[in-house]
């Protein structure tokens, strides 16, 4: 999917290609191998696949979160924009830069990490003080947002493992790290807007 995305030069042609797909299965992955951007073949169990596969998983979870938010929620548009950024992140990770140069559409635009930081800074003053550890839960959307946060943290770990053995843009690592911070405060904002009290961790009495 990332390879198809990168082979086209603009959004219109990408959509056209997807709409005109006549065959989904290729049988080329039946023996546990798959193609990276540029056609390089690697095992599906490779650390690189774990990295961009987890980003794909995160993007899907964010899609479920968006579907649970009201149509007039002021975070919906930003979350959809985030999904688009995750497609770029996945494309970046699906490129072995020792063999294939990055396509322009696999390079995260400047300012995206700062945009996440600005979003976090805008949300925090709206939230009440909440000392202690928050348990994931509250509204369904807030609980789903916590799922997104934890998948994002796992994606960060997978990317860090990949960065130990291959080239990964520093901006990619920073972006995914800030995204988990945003998802944490967003979960709190969703509960706050719904007048849903946070569930706090209570130390068990012995």
């Amino acid at each position: 999917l990332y390879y198809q995305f990168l082979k086209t030069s603009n959004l219109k042609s990408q959509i056209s290609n997807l709409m005109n797909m006549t065959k989904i299965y290729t049988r080329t992955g039946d023996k546990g191998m798959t193609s990276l951007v540029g056609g390089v073949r690697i095992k599906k169990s490779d650390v690189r696949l774990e990295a961009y596969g987890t980003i794909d998983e995160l993007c899907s979870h964010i899609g479920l979160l968006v579907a649970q938010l009201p149509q007039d929620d002021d975070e919906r548009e930003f979350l959809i924009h985030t999904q688009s950024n995750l497609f770029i992140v996945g494309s970046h990770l699906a490129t072995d830069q020792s063999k294939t140069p990055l396509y322009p559409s696999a390079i995260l635009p400047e300012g995206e990490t700062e945009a996440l930081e600005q979003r976090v800074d805008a949300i925090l003053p709206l939230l009440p003080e909440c000392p202690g550890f928050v348990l994931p839960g509250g509204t369904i959307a807030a609980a789903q947002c916590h799922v997104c946060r934890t998948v994002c943290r796992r994606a960060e770990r997978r990317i860090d493992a990949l960065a130990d053995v291959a080239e990964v843009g520093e901006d990619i690592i920073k972006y995914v790290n800030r995204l988990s911070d945003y998802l944490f405060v967003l979960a709190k904002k969703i509960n706050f807007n719904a007048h849903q009290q946070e569930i706090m961790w209570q130390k068990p009495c012995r």
Side-chain angles (χ1 to χ4, degrees), residues 72-144:
D72 61 349
D73 192 286
D74 60 358
E75 298 294 335
R76 283 176 59 93
E77 184 177 347
F78 188 77
L79 286 167
I80 293 171
H81 176 74
T82 299
Q83 286 182 290
S84 295
N85 279 342
L86 289 176
F87 216 98
I88 295 170
V89 170
S91 301
H92 184 107
L93 298 173
T95 305
D96 182 346
Q97 297 180 57
S98 69
K99 299 180 175 66
T100 306
L102 284 174
Y103 285 78
S105 50
I107 300 173
L108 197 65
E110 290 186 11
E112 292 299 336
T113 297
E114 290 75 13
L116 285 169
E117 293 172 347
Q118 291 167 10
R119 206 75 176 186
V120 170
D121 292 342
I123 292 173
L124 279 176
L126 306 176
L127 303 177
E129 289 290 331
C130 192
F133 294 103
V134 174
L135 297 180
T139 67
I140 293 176
Q144 174 61 25

Side-chain angles (χ1 to χ4, degrees), residues 12-188:
K12 183 176 181 181
S13 59
Q14 291 163 20
I15 295 172
S16 177
N17 283 351
L18 290 172
M19 291 178 65
N20 293 327
M21 280 184 178
T22 57
K23 198 169 188 178
I24 298 298
Y25 60 88
T26 63
R27 300 193 178 97
T28 59
D30 290 352
K31 295 185 178 180
M33 302 290 289
T34 192
S35 293
L36 298 177
V37 173
V40 178
R41 300 285 290 175
I42 63 171
K43 290 286 292 181
K44 290 184 178 180
S45 58
D46 191 279
V47 64
R48 186 178 295 280
L49 267 293
E50 281 293 324
Y52 74 72
T54 308
I55 288 294
D56 188 26
E57 182 183 352
L58 172 59
C59 189
S60 297
H61 274 296
I62 291 178
L64 180 57
L65 171 60
V66 171
Q68 293 169 343
L69 293 176
Q71 288 294 325
D72 61 349
D73 192 286
D74 60 358
E75 298 294 335
R76 283 176 59 93
E77 184 177 347
F78 188 77
L79 286 167
I80 293 171
H81 176 74
T82 299
Q83 286 182 290
S84 295
N85 279 342
L86 289 176
F87 216 98
I88 295 170
V89 170
S91 301
H92 184 107
L93 298 173
T95 305
D96 182 346
Q97 297 180 57
S98 69
K99 299 180 175 66
T100 306
L102 284 174
Y103 285 78
S105 50
I107 300 173
L108 197 65
E110 290 186 11
E112 292 299 336
T113 297
E114 290 75 13
L116 285 169
E117 293 172 347
Q118 291 167 10
R119 206 75 176 186
V120 170
D121 292 342
I123 292 173
L124 279 176
L126 306 176
L127 303 177
E129 289 290 331
C130 192
F133 294 103
V134 174
L135 297 180
T139 67
I140 293 176
Q144 174 61 25
C145 195
H146 277 293
V147 172
C148 294
R149 173 184 60 81
T150 56
V151 174
C152 188
R153 286 296 193 193
R154 175 155 52 86
E156 184 180 6
R157 295 193 298 271
R158 297 295 185 265
I159 294 170
D160 185 61
L162 175 60
D164 285 340
V165 297
E167 183 177 355
V168 177
E170 187 177 341
D171 57 332
I172 297 295
I173 298 171
K174 288 181 178 179
Y175 181 81
V176 176
N177 177 268
R178 298 303 191 281
L179 178 55
S180 62
D181 294 333
Y182 164 68
L183 292 168
F184 176 73
V185 299
L186 176 58
K188 293 172 68 68

